[in-house]
Amino acid sequence: RFQPLFPASCPYVTSVGGTVGIPEVAVTRFFSGGGFSDYFERPSYQDEAVTGFLNTLPEGTYEGLFNPEGRGIPDVAAQGDRFSIVLAGVSRLIGGTSASSPTFAGLVALLNDARLSQGLPPLGFLNP
């Protein structure tokens, strides 16, 4: 049985997946998973996207290996491969959600900064 991740499957978390390339596709060079929660129901705002995805699977594919009624993760995805960083003075390439999550968090921070500078409240809960 597939094992959904926690806390990513928690409905109070905006989970971020990793992608690569343009057009973006899921990263395959390393683990950047997604799936469906065994504990949290799928929120109604995911119904259209999840149903559409499930309808692309041939009948019986992965039957019994996941909860098709659970909350789908990730919520969003961002480029997550071959990010150049400097670690201990050495330039390195990293990838995975260790790259895509901070990228998405930085984007949200910039959006909140723009909103606050206009006297607007921060974005708050990002799902849906």
Side-chain angles (χ1 to χ4, degrees):
R1 183 153 168 85
F2 299 135
Q3 298 296 312
L5 301 172
F6 187 86
S9 64
C10 176
Y12 304 106
V13 170
T14 300
S15 63
V16 181
T19 60
V20 62
I22 299 173
E24 291 180 295
V25 295
V27 172
T28 58
R29 194 170 65 86
F30 48 81
F31 181 73
S32 179
F36 301 93
S37 176
D38 282 333
Y39 300 103
F40 302 106
E41 292 181 4
R42 179 188 329 141
S44 61
Y45 60 82
Q46 288 187 343
D47 282 342
E48 184 178 346
V50 170
T51 301
F53 167 74
L54 293 175
N55 287 337
T56 68
L57 299 176
E59 190 172 334
T61 303
Y62 309 121
E63 189 172 331
L65 295 178
F66 70 99
N67 175 15
E69 302 300 320
R71 171 176 146 66
I73 54 172
D75 295 294
V76 297
Q79 291 288 324
D81 198 14
R82 306 204 185 279
F83 273 53
S84 182
I85 66 163
V86 177
L87 178 64
V90 178
S91 182
R92 302 175 189 267
L93 294 176
I94 65 163
T97 54
S98 297
S100 58
S101 290
T103 298
F104 184 74
L107 178 63
V108 172
L110 289 170
L111 291 170
N112 280 335
D113 184 57
R115 290 179 60 81
L116 291 169
S117 72
Q118 298 298 310
L120 299 170
L123 293 172
F125 184 62
L126 297 177
N127 300 344

